[in-house]
Amino acid sequence: MTGWVNAAGVVAALLAADVTAAAPTACPHEGALGTSRILTVDAATHPRVGLKSFPDTLPLHDGEVVLTFDDGPSPPMTDKVLAALARECVRATFFLVGEPASRRAAWVRKIAAEGHTIGHHSFTHANLAHITPEQAVDEIDRGIAADEKALNGAETTTPSTPFFRFPYFESTPATLDLLQSRGIVVFGADLWASDWNPMSPQQTLKLLTARLSQARKGIILLHDPQPRTVAMLPAFLRYLKNHGYRVVHVVPKQPADVHHEQRSERPSPAPTPPHEGG
């Protein structure tokens, strides 16, 4: 799609449409959005990212987005999100809540097996700024341990993927310092769909695309347990494709990493700005 068209019309049309640490394998779906590159994120250089909470964010080019999903795993909604991502060969990051992860280990392993990154989001989704420091540390550690048990079969408070997102984005200086001292990257977001608010999938899509059109790049926050998010996700992925956006998959730095980033099976062309306004 080229040129300038009415954004509301595009949103309506899209919604109406039927719609291991190695680099991803080749995408078998012709015309899919794909994952343009893999970005390695290191706590030493980017301890806190996301302009909604912090002064710094990921080094993304114009038109690049990182897709993140919070609060799962939550079948059957998470499964529908995974299916939509798989159809477009898109890799995302899932910030899991430990308590449901401990009851749904098969879903945690499925997320990872499909090539997505597993991050951490506390044990019960408590507001860590409104409980005692000891309770906050316990929430962080129990959440990580539950996710690791579900994913790898062994409890540990040393995460295999050292990515954490605070519930409600509510942190304290002490918890931020703790995570930084442990080499854990704290993810905020650059924009979100406000998909926790009651609205239709069409309204969610319209709000998100308008915000992305203004921001032009960034870490996007979504929630896989939300039915409105599940309903609008295929149309949103098509919107990204049709408007020249490119998806970046974030992974943690490993000791053997030599390069800052590696290209996926679908390298993007030279960065070009996304088309504004639909």
Side-chain angles (χ1 to χ4, degrees), residues 55-276:
D56 193 18
T57 191
L58 295 175
L60 300 174
H61 303 304
D62 187 57
E64 290 188 331
V65 298
V66 172
L67 301 182
T68 67
F69 294 87
D70 282 12
D71 296 357
S74 180
M77 295 302 166
T78 300
D79 194 45
K80 294 179 180 179
V81 166
L82 291 174
L85 296 174
R87 283 193 296 270
E88 296 290 344
C89 296
V90 165
R91 300 287 173 87
T93 298
F94 288 77
F95 288 92
L96 304 184
V97 177
E99 194 279 328
S102 69
R103 294 183 284 105
R104 297 163 180 160
W107 292 89
V108 176
R109 293 192 295 271
K110 181 177 182 180
I111 293 168
E114 295 192 9
H116 304 290
T117 297
I118 301 289
H120 309 281
H121 199 41
S122 82
F123 186 69
T124 66
H125 205 276
N127 188 321
L128 304 192
H130 293 178
I131 57 181
T132 68
E134 294 77 17
Q135 289 172 326
V137 172
D138 186 60
E139 271 284 329
I140 293 170
D141 282 344
R142 289 179 69 201
I144 292 172
D147 295 342
E148 291 296 323
K149 173 73 170 179
L151 181 61
N152 298 314
E155 287 190 4
T156 175
T157 58
T158 301
S160 51
T161 300
F163 294 169
F164 184 86
R165 178 176 273 156
F166 283 91
Y168 313 104
F169 296 107
E170 291 282 349
S171 61
T172 65
T175 50
L176 287 170
D177 289 346
L178 171 69
L179 291 170
Q180 186 168 1
S181 73
R182 291 168 60 177
I184 298 174
V185 181
V186 175
F187 275 76
D190 297 316
L191 66 152
W192 48 59
S194 299
D195 56 354
W196 54 88
N197 290 325
M199 65 180 103
S200 69
Q202 293 90 341
Q203 290 170 321
T204 306
L205 179 62
K206 184 176 180 180
L207 179 61
L208 179 56
T209 54
R211 288 173 174 172
L212 180 56
S213 179
Q214 183 175 17
R216 301 177 64 85
K217 64 179 180 178
I219 305 165
I220 299 176
L221 166 66
L222 299 163
H223 292 82
D224 48 303
Q226 290 291 347
R228 64 184 62 86
T229 301
V230 173
M232 71 90 187
L233 183 60
F236 179 59
L237 296 175
R238 285 286 88 196
Y239 176 92
L240 294 177
K241 172 68 175 178
N242 292 340
H243 290 75
Y245 289 96
R246 301 174 304 282
V247 175
V248 174
H249 181 207
V250 293
V251 298
K253 180 178 175 63
Q254 302 294 339
D257 280 347
V258 177
H259 301 292
H260 180 64
E261 64 185 41
Q262 63 184 138
R263 296 287 172 177
S264 79
E265 80 287 0
R266 293 175 57 85
S268 62
T272 56
H275 302 300
E276 287 288 348

Side-chain angles (χ1 to χ4, degrees), residues 23-47:
T25 56
C27 179
H29 307 141
E30 184 177 355
L33 172 60
T35 300
S36 70
R37 67 183 176 113
I38 298 173
L39 178 64
T40 299
V41 182
D42 182 6
T45 54
H46 291 90

